[in-house]
Amino acid sequence: MSYAETDLLPISALQHLLFCPRQCALIHNEQLWADNHLTAQGQVLHERAHTPKHESRPGVRITRSLYLSSRVLGLRGIADIIEFHRDGTIIPVEYKRGKPKSNDCDRIQLCAQAMCLEEMRQSTIPAGALYYGQRRRRTEVVFDDSLRARTTEAARELHQLIRSRRTPAAVREPKCDACSLIDLCLPDALAHQSDTTSWFVRRLQASLKSQI
Ligand code: SF4
């Protein structure tokens, strides 16, 4: 299958999907967004990672903010850093706040970047790296068959969710406390409401927030 250019979805949406399908639908189907201190920290880290645009060091050319896309996965995005080494090795590096997570969402996002780059350059990228702000060092990520399969599946689920135009019901979990959309999602209040009522209350909340 090959997606049209206009159907490509942001690679970052994979993170939202893997964190919480409802959060993904609120952001990408309902166009809602809110920042909290965690998203603000992430944004500062990314801004730092994106300058300067190009840099050369012995044996390696570093490119920042490179546009990536894949018609096979149906994804597009901007890579923080891609290293092009003299021996032909290509290494994508993604900056993240905090420390490595117990789930796969960062690894899948990075793997999606690598798969985009492979498709664009007709090359093979065996591994990349995640740089966590709290640790201040790289963690290598090997793009093995299992990670590639999970990435492909996540991209497929993302397209399915966006195509459906539905927002899954809220399920209150501990992770909700770290979610920047909690005041728009209202997981405690709206878990058992109908889709229409929930949608109306969210729009009202978003509208009130924008007027403050
Ligand atoms: S508050 Fe919880 S249920 Fe609602 S979008 Fe965030 S993580 Fe998902």
Side-chain angles (χ1 to χ4, degrees), residues 68-89:
L68 305 171
S69 68
S70 162
R71 295 294 185 93
V72 174
L73 293 174
L75 297 174
R76 61 176 161 76
I78 306 283
D80 281 346
I81 288 176
I82 307 289
E83 291 181 356
F84 295 93
H85 290 258
R86 189 174 292 147
D87 66 1
T89 309

Side-chain angles (χ1 to χ4, degrees), residues 107-123:
R107 288 187 289 275
I108 285 178
Q109 185 185 10
L110 187 68
C111 186
Q113 290 183 3
M115 289 170 78
C116 287
L117 206 51
E118 286 179 336
E119 193 178 313
M120 291 164 72
R121 296 182 64 95
Q122 299 294 300
S123 56

Side-chain angles (χ1 to χ4, degrees), residues 19-24 26 168-188:
F19 178 70
C20 170
R22 177 173 170 83
Q23 188 203 60
C24 184
L26 290 174
V171 179
R172 185 60 154 107
E173 292 185 53
K175 67 184 176 189
C176 295
D177 294 324
C179 175
S180 69
L181 295 188
I182 190 165
D183 290 341
L184 296 171
C185 168
L186 303 174
D188 297 313

